[in-house]
Amino acid sequence: MDFAFTEEQELLRDSVQRFVRENYPFDKRNKLAETEAGFSSENWAMFAELGWLALPFSEVDGGLDGTVIDTMIMMEEFGKGLTLEPYFPTVVLGGGAMRRAASPAQREAVLPGVIEGTTHLALAYAEEQGRYNLADVATTARADGDGFVLNGRKSVVLNGTAADWLIVSARTAGKQGDAEGVSLFLIDSSTKGIDRRGYRTQDGGRAAEVTLEDVRVSGDALMGEAGAGLAVLEAVIDEAIVAIAAEAVGAMTALNAATVEYSKTRVQFGTPIGKFQALQHRMVEMFMETEQTKSLLYRAAMSMDSGRPDAARCVSALKVQTGKAGRFVGQQAVQIHGGMGMTYELNVGHYFKRLTMINSLFGNIDYHMRRFAALDGTTEAA
Amino acid sequence: MDMEFSAEQQNFRDSVRDFFENTYPSDIRDKVRRGVSLSKDDMVRSQKALASRGWAAPNWPVEYGGTGWSPTEKYIFENEMARADVPPVVPFGMSMVAPIIYSFGSKEQKERYLPDILNSNVWWCQGFSEPGAGSDLASLRTKAVRDGDSYIVNGTKTWTTLGQYAEWIFCLVRTDPTVKPQEGISFLLIDMKTKGITVSPIQTIDGGFEVNEVNFDDVRVPVENLVGEEGKGWTYAKKLLTHERTGIAGVARSKHQIGKLKKIASSIPNGGGATMMEDDDFRRRLSEVEIELMALEFTDLRALAAVQTGGAPGPESSILKIKGTEIQQAITELFVEASGYYALPYTPERFDDGSNVEPVGPDFAAFAAPRYFNVRKTSIYGGSNEIQKNIIAKAVLGL
């Protein structure tokens, strides 16, 4: 058992911190969020140059063989800066599916561009009626000659507008809700029949509703085995949860620091409000919830990296804790900042919004509470 | 970062497990499993068994009899102890007065007291709180007045846990009433047989007799029983509070209790044709506690790792106390919930070993409510959880 980061990991953290410090003053960030793309292509090129876009990919694919813990470190620092570049949808979600299921030809077609920063990905897996149930897939992929024809609608596809390639879950067999029969397809986003309605998200990001109408793809668009896509999706999403939980820990850390600082300078009744015990205890609770989230984050990341049988259960525990802590820390940071916390101009509310949206992604507290209970028996007595 | 045990650590775990299963007195484990009270003799035998393996004081420096274990080994040991239903070591000698003595005591004091603590030959109790000094401990009024080679001690200490068994008591006493409250306090070791000491039991809400009031009426204590310097007692006691916090979270024992609770809940009907384990509302509350505990387990390990790499245990360890006790309390609450109607029957005889009183309702239920009532103490003792939050606010957040 070892809780220390390697020297390389410390260097990675330093370099992301430096990027955030130099490129993400908050007013600049807000302006960037208002641009059409919603992120900076210069920053994205810098990510490529620094090797960040290659991090989790295998050396064979031109990557750096990074671990879940490496990604966790990056995401935590991104969280502190509320960065807007679509690292998460392209590298973690799209890249996660590519790493697990893409054929050599598909890797060759897509990953060099991702690593160089010229190609964006999006994972189109969610559907309105299915909520967080990954198996509830109504989108169909009907075999047609040596290819497939896809029809259906995908909800809130992160980075869906910028994506050059979509990874789409669709049913090749079975009925809606079956674990078997879900397949993944790698599809050029300009393929005929794909309609993307893009929009901004509450937290400054970009997403799209994707409609597939008689989208014709060749047989080699299929990723991995036909019908076996659910296990891939589950693994990708578990890893993605660790990544956004790390982002949430970063956001909470920044919020706590801002709140404590504000309470030392804001004077009411002739006293800095941080001297009031009611607020002191509240801030201690914010600190404790953040530390508890960080503990589960480490636990889940380590469990995934070593392939422990309880990894999925640890991930659900992490998502529950992240949801609860994110809500508490976010709400209380706004509360303690008073009227200032309500303003668009101050970063506090924007951290709160990101934390709120993180709870809504990949299963909220209730969903993961149930999954945690259902996976009982997998936690080993360490 | 890596959470796997090395082959060496696995061997260590196996040897600890083997010891508890095959060498350690099995009758004590059996009593703990059944929930009945342990006698003084049981507790002493338990600790002597640990001492026979050199495992009585994992946190002491090796030169005084510690084990020299790494944090991971300590973690393994605590888990195995809880898993085998081995009772925790009574902390007053082993983890409270001993660290004060080996850190601040004289050579003579170390030689005189430490071996008897390590081998559980002498039972110690704590004399900190007073009727008028609880969370505001520095306002304590028990005074020790110098008279030749002695101090004359007068005053009252309270909430003295298991003081009825104790042969010695360590006390914070006021030796100088003229200076700032914190600076006039000294740390004194007192033989309980000394004339003028009276111990009176205080019954707690669960019906048990764990705590006592201890009165000092012109008690003559040799000056050589002063630890360290006069007037430094407060500093020593505070050091103690931030050090030696290993295990304060009680993670291993809470894990074990959750395991028991799940087993029990799987056999208790929920009144809707399913078991309590299948009851959505109960299950959710259980999951909430389990998730908190999984987090705390790693918070604890992170704190241990920080100490190992030379970092101070730090005031962050206050988190361990707060969250650890909240979790312990939540678990006892769920045992009461699982008991349903059978939380009600009050059958204190069931706590006596060998009682042949027929259980009323399920076997575990007699212990559920008393445990729940008893464990409310944990968020009060050792610096109440509100005091812990004050400490974090000041020392960690800088407020």
Side-chain angles (χ1 to χ4, degrees), chain B residues 348-371:
Chain B
E349 341 43 75
R350 297 280 321 282
F351 282 94
D352 300 334
D353 186 34
S355 152
N356 47 18
V357 173
E358 181 107 359
V360 184
D363 214 27
F364 77 95
F367 304 98
R371 282 294 297 155

Side-chain angles (χ1 to χ4, degrees), chain B residues 45-306:
Chain B
R45 273 195 304 134
S46 175
Q47 291 175 200
K48 281 184 178 291
L50 298 178
S52 74
R53 273 301 289 261
W55 291 348
N59 293 321
W60 290 21
V62 176
E63 55 175 315
Y64 303 118
T67 53
W69 286 337
S70 67
T72 309
E73 284 164 329
K74 288 180 192 173
Y75 167 79
I76 291 171
F77 184 73
E78 294 211 347
N79 272 295
E80 291 303 318
M81 231 178 146
R83 182 181 177 275
D85 289 303
V86 171
V89 169
V90 179
F92 310 105
M94 211 75 78
S95 8
M96 301 182 98
V97 74
I100 298 276
I101 292 173
Y102 63 63
S103 305
F104 308 107
S106 66
K107 187 166 170 288
E108 292 71 32
Q109 287 171 335
K110 290 177 196 176
E111 282 168 2
R112 176 171 176 193
Y113 298 110
L114 293 180
D116 279 339
I117 295 173
L118 189 65
N119 295 302
S120 293
N121 295 330
V122 172
W123 191 296
W124 286 80
C125 65
Q126 184 195 39
F128 280 13
S129 294
E130 295 181 5
S135 285
D136 181 14
L137 189 58
S139 70
L140 61 89
R141 290 195 308 202
T142 296
K143 61 178 184 192
V145 179
R146 186 72 183 262
D147 177 40
D149 288 343
S150 306
Y151 288 105
I152 308 296
V153 178
N154 277 288
T156 304
K157 292 293 178 182
T158 193
W159 315 128
T160 310
T161 304
L162 300 180
Q164 67 266 42
Y165 299 151
E167 285 135 324
W168 280 76
I169 183 167
F170 56 96
C171 288
L172 289 178
V173 294
R174 187 159 304 286
T175 42
D176 187 350
T178 63
V179 292
K180 259 179 66 182
Q182 287 84 349
E183 286 162 13
I185 294 171
S186 301
F187 200 98
L188 215 51
L189 311 177
I190 305 176
D191 185 339
M192 292 286 276
K193 288 192 301 290
T194 319
K195 193 166 155 267
I197 298 181
T198 333
V199 179
S200 330
I202 301 171
Q203 191 170 20
T204 43
I205 50 176
D206 55 317
F209 290 94
E210 247 182 353
V211 289
N212 302 272
E213 188 170 277
V214 182
N215 269 285
F216 297 84
D217 184 14
D218 285 334
V219 174
R220 186 168 283 274
V221 181
V223 167
E224 68 202 43
N225 288 12
L226 174 75
V227 178
E229 288 174 53
E230 209 181 81
K232 288 280 173 68
W234 182 257
T235 319
Y236 302 156
K238 257 178 75 177
K239 277 244 166 67
L240 169 73
L241 288 175
T242 48
H243 281 276
E244 303 299 332
R245 292 230 134 173
T246 318
I248 193 166
V251 168
R253 284 179 199 277
S254 289
K255 269 163 67 176
H256 190 56
Q257 288 302 314
I258 286 207
K260 281 188 176 176
L261 178 59
K262 283 182 179 173
K263 243 180 236 150
I264 285 167
S266 302
S267 68
I268 302 282
N270 78 335
T275 68
M276 288 301 284
M277 257 319 249
E278 294 153 342
D279 184 278
D280 286 345
D281 296 322
F282 183 81
R283 197 54 218 268
R284 176 164 181 140
R285 293 176 60 188
L286 177 57
S287 291
E288 277 172 357
V289 180
E290 197 181 354
I291 290 170
E292 286 273 359
L293 182 58
M294 284 171 71
L296 190 66
E297 183 169 25
F298 264 58
T299 304
D300 200 6
L301 286 167
R302 286 168 56 207
L304 283 171

Side-chain angles (χ1 to χ4, degrees), chain A residues 262-263 265-276 279:
Chain A
Y262 180 77
S263 79
T265 52
R266 171 70 176 168
V267 174
Q268 289 290 277
F269 306 102
T271 314
I273 61 171
K275 291 287 171 204
F276 298 130
L279 297 194

Side-chain angles (χ1 to χ4, degrees), chain A residues 2 281 285 289 291-292 295, chain B residues 2 299 302 323 389-390:
Chain A
D2 175 16
H281 285 195
E285 282 152 18
E289 289 312 311
E291 288 302 310
Q292 287 282 83
S295 290
Chain B
D2 171 18
T299 304
R302 286 168 56 207
K323 284 282 177 188
K389 287 181 186 174
N390 290 350

